[in-house]
Amino acid sequence: MTIKDILRRSPLAGYGQAIREAPRETIFNRPLLLSAFVYALGGMPVIWDQGASSVMPSLPGFQEHFKINSGANADEIRIFISIVYVGYGIGAGMTFFINDVLGRIWPYRLYTLVYCIGTLMAIFSPNTSVLYGARVVQGLGLGAFTVSGTMSIVEIAPAQIRGLLASWFNLAMGIGLVGAVFCTLGCYRHIPTSKLQYQIVMLVPMVYLALCMVGTFFIEESPRWLFLVNRREEAMAGLSRLRGLPVDDPRVQREIMEIEEDINRTAEEVSNASFWTIAKETFTKASNLRRVQQSLLTYALAQLSGANLITSYFVPILAIVGVSGGTDQSMFLSGMYGLSKFFFVLIATFFFVDALGRRKSLFLGAGMQLITHIYLAVYVRYSQMGPVSEAASNGAIAALFIHAFGYGVGLYLLPYIFGGELWPNRIRSFGAALSQTFHWLFIYGMQYSMPSILSSFHQWGAFLFFAAWCAVAIIYNFLMIPEVSGLTVEEIEDIFKGPWFNAYSTTRKTAIEGHCDDGEGGLRKTLTPTAKDVDDDGSVKH
């Protein structure tokens, strides 16, 4: 595939065409853009916490108050870094019981309040015991944001730019990582040794979210949720504002019809579905069970590949690979690492995941992680035996950044995408809560275990451990993950009804039987026109 083909098939090109074809008042719509922006901003503190916790223990004020000797000692900071993910997991699971009862705006305010309470506890913690409890409370709010943030945007966005607006949440997460590290570096450089050094780092996202809470009084509730709770007049008025068109406009009427048809089609099932009924269907129906294993295993493999552990323990990792320029340099490199991850995710979002497809993106990303882990293992082993060349040391630092690119292309983005696109409507809320709860609790286990992994494998062996899991991810991708890019929900259901271990043949079969030549030597999908493909005069759009 040429660069021209990748650009032509990329989501960025698709968004440009969709924006040109859509009504201007729908795309450049202040209620829509403001609402999506405020919902997306909930992603910033989620990763701010990860970035700040990786470098905050290096602040002299933090070490002095909490009796920590070194931020480069993984054993000393493991509980501080990892304990927050217990709260993440519980908070993510609780969203299943909260979001559909309270809507989308009030849960946003609730999660913000919970996070702010936890942050105030952390800021004024007299000792590590209170600090660890505060971290769990913070996680209750942050984990909930990871479930509801993107979902809220998807429910208000027009089809033409739904993916673009949903990606704002990931971009906010990336900005949070960079901002946290450089904020911590600024406090280290310009604030004398005191508790104020780390208190400012903790306070910034709390003030930020408090401002976001003010913004929630100027945004729109999800019309889909309003329809679900029989607030039809409010739903139609809200949808009209979000589309910038009157309620009687054919486009708005068509969307209302589609939403109500979908709700009516599943109303009887949903009204009679208890928590246990939905759970039983999720874990006993073969196609749903396959969705469960793919969603959970891709999240697990993402963490076992070592990428998140490198981010959270970046300062100790730098010490392992021989970077000894002091706290200032370690924080600066951490900030640049976060900035590179942000741009790598941007590139992956717009030019890889849809252009290459899910499977090829995973092959590419996991392969790059595998190669860089092997290099780092060899480098650390030789550096333990004696001096190594400066070129090899620079190569080790470069390998960390290349590894981040591979993670961004494959095992970072795709588990989130799978968690949103694989589930059928009936169990989507339960499936999203389930996968995120597992995700964060598994991260907790991995983050807490990282110092033991490093010591047990004599540091260099830890990278081989991660490389082995990258190889497992490649094999698992080949056998178990079918290509679902561009498929409808019904077509995804058909794929997941088949055998579990033939994804490679299913993908080829889909390409041969489900597509036809596009006139340019490629393949295009043959689809039956839907309501979205038909103009007001009844003609099919081209």
Side-chain angles (χ1 to χ4, degrees):
M1 182 182 295
T2 65
I3 297 296
K4 182 179 178 180
D5 291 331
I6 292 177
L7 293 174
R8 179 172 57 83
R9 296 176 55 189
S10 70
L12 193 61
Y15 293 144
Q17 182 179 354
I19 290 172
R20 289 193 298 271
E21 295 176 352
R24 181 178 178 85
E25 55 268 39
T26 297
I27 302 301
F28 301 99
N29 180 310
R30 185 169 64 181
L32 169 67
L33 298 179
L34 177 62
S35 299
F37 182 67
V38 173
Y39 284 129
L41 291 178
M44 192 280 276
V46 173
I47 302 301
W48 178 286
D49 183 89
Q50 185 184 39
S53 63
S54 69
V55 291
M56 204 186 305
S58 297
L59 292 172
F62 187 93
Q63 295 174 0
E64 183 178 278
H65 183 68
F66 293 111
K67 307 299 187 290
I68 292 177
N69 295 320
S70 173
N73 187 328
D75 285 297
E76 283 197 274
I77 63 177
R78 74 156 84 191
I79 298 179
F80 173 72
I81 286 177
S82 63
I83 194 68
V84 69
Y85 296 110
V86 174
Y88 271 67
I90 297 172
M94 291 300 295
T95 60
F96 176 73
F97 304 97
I98 295 174
N99 287 348
D100 286 345
V101 174
L102 299 180
R104 305 298 178 257
I105 295 177
W106 276 105
Y108 190 112
R109 296 166 183 161
L110 174 63
Y111 305 149
T112 298
L113 180 62
V114 171
Y115 173 75
C116 289
I117 291 172
T119 300
L120 288 174
M121 290 173 59
I123 287 174
F124 298 108
S125 297
N127 52 52
T128 54
S129 297
V130 177
L131 176 65
Y132 297 155
R135 297 279 288 153
V136 174
V137 177
Q138 285 180 304
L140 292 175
L142 296 178
F145 275 125
T146 64
V147 177
S148 64
T150 305
M151 179 181 69
S152 301
I153 298 173
V154 166
E155 290 184 340
I156 67 171
Q160 296 93 333
I161 55 172
R162 182 178 295 127
L164 180 63
L165 295 183
S167 69
W168 287 6
F169 190 84
N170 290 87
L171 297 182
M173 292 171 69
I175 292 171
L177 177 61
V178 177
V181 177
F182 282 112
C183 177
T184 309
L185 177 59
C187 291
Y188 172 75
R189 287 180 174 178
H190 303 294
I191 296 178
T193 299
S194 65
K195 292 189 290 185
L196 190 62
Q197 280 185 325
Y198 68 85
Q199 288 175 336
I200 289 177
V201 179
M202 293 180 176
L203 182 66
V204 170
M206 190 187 82
V207 173
Y208 159 91
L209 268 184
L211 294 175
C212 290
M213 185 184 288
V214 174
T216 62
F217 290 94
F218 303 95
I219 65 176
E220 296 290 336
E221 181 59 90
S222 163
R224 174 173 286 276
W225 177 76
L226 291 171
F227 276 117
L228 281 171
V229 295
N230 296 317
R231 292 160 60 176
R232 190 172 189 273
E233 295 300 321
E234 294 177 59
M236 291 193 298
L239 186 62
S240 174
R241 289 190 295 270
L242 287 167
R243 299 297 175 261
L245 300 168
V247 174
D248 58 359
D249 184 274
R251 299 178 185 87
V252 176
Q253 286 295 310
R254 182 162 56 243
E255 190 166 356
I256 291 173
M257 180 186 68
E258 290 174 350
I259 292 173
E260 291 189 320
E261 283 181 353
D262 179 68
I263 291 174
N264 292 333
R265 184 169 57 250
T266 58
E268 183 177 350
E269 293 178 338
V270 173
S271 63
N272 297 326
S274 66
F275 170 82
W276 296 112
T277 302
I278 293 175
K280 180 180 178 182
E281 179 177 337
T282 302
F283 291 106
T284 59
K285 186 178 178 181
S287 60
N288 290 338
L289 186 59
R290 184 173 177 185
R291 288 177 168 94
V292 170
Q293 63 81 18
Q294 180 168 321
S295 179
L296 301 191
L297 283 179
T298 50
Y299 272 126
L301 289 170
Q303 303 312 312
L304 290 166
S305 74
N308 251 337
L309 298 176
I310 290 176
T311 300
S312 296
Y313 289 92
F314 195 72
V315 174
I317 292 295
L318 286 177
I320 289 173
V321 299
V323 177
S324 56
T327 301
D328 191 284
Q329 183 182 1
S330 296
M331 286 190 183
F332 178 75
L333 286 175
S334 295
M336 296 307 297
Y337 183 75
L339 186 62
S340 68
K341 286 186 71 173
F342 171 72
F343 283 109
F344 293 156
V345 171
L346 265 183
I347 294 170
T349 299
F350 290 122
F351 298 108
F352 282 92
V353 173
D354 280 330
L356 288 181
R358 312 295 191 253
R359 283 170 58 84
K360 290 181 181 178
S361 294
L362 270 173
F363 280 131
L364 175 63
M368 295 179 73
Q369 287 185 265
L370 172 65
I371 293 170
T372 52
H373 275 312
I374 292 174
Y375 177 86
L376 288 167
V378 173
Y379 169 81
V380 173
R381 182 71 182 99
Y382 274 92
S383 66
Q384 291 173 345
M385 298 169 61
V388 294
S389 67
E390 183 178 354
S393 299
N394 292 336
I397 297 175
L400 292 174
F401 285 80
I402 296 171
H403 179 273
F405 177 74
Y407 181 55
V409 169
L411 285 168
Y412 171 68
L413 275 181
L414 290 176
Y416 282 96
I417 293 173
F418 291 149
E421 72 182 358
L422 297 184
W423 306 103
N425 294 329
R426 175 176 163 81
I427 62 171
R428 179 169 290 119
S429 180
F430 178 79
L434 171 70
S435 58
Q436 285 296 344
T437 298
F438 172 85
H439 176 212
W440 295 118
L441 292 179
F442 195 86
I443 285 181
Y444 165 71
M446 290 299 299
Q447 299 280 9
Y448 187 80
S449 301
M450 180 60 167
S452 299
I453 293 172
L454 290 172
S455 60
S456 299
F457 291 99
H458 307 290
Q459 296 181 341
W460 66 273
F463 295 104
L464 285 184
F465 174 79
F466 298 139
W469 281 109
C470 290
V472 171
I474 292 172
I475 297 171
Y476 173 76
N477 181 38
F478 178 74
L479 295 174
M480 298 282 286
I481 298 182
E483 183 58 73
V484 297
S485 179
L487 299 183
T488 66
V489 173
E490 292 74 21
E491 289 166 329
I492 292 176
E493 176 68 20
D494 290 338
I495 286 179
F496 277 88
K497 285 180 179 178
W500 284 30
F501 298 97
N502 67 341
Y504 58 95
S505 60
T506 301
T507 300
R508 289 198 302 268
K509 183 177 179 181
T510 301
I512 294 171
E513 296 181 358
H515 299 71
C516 60
D517 188 80
D518 64 1
E520 298 177 3
L523 296 172
R524 64 175 173 83
K525 192 112 170 271
T526 304
L527 296 174
T528 302
T530 64
K532 294 181 291 186
D533 304 313
V534 181
D535 283 317
D536 298 334
D537 60 1
S539 61
V540 178
K541 296 178 182 179
H542 295 285

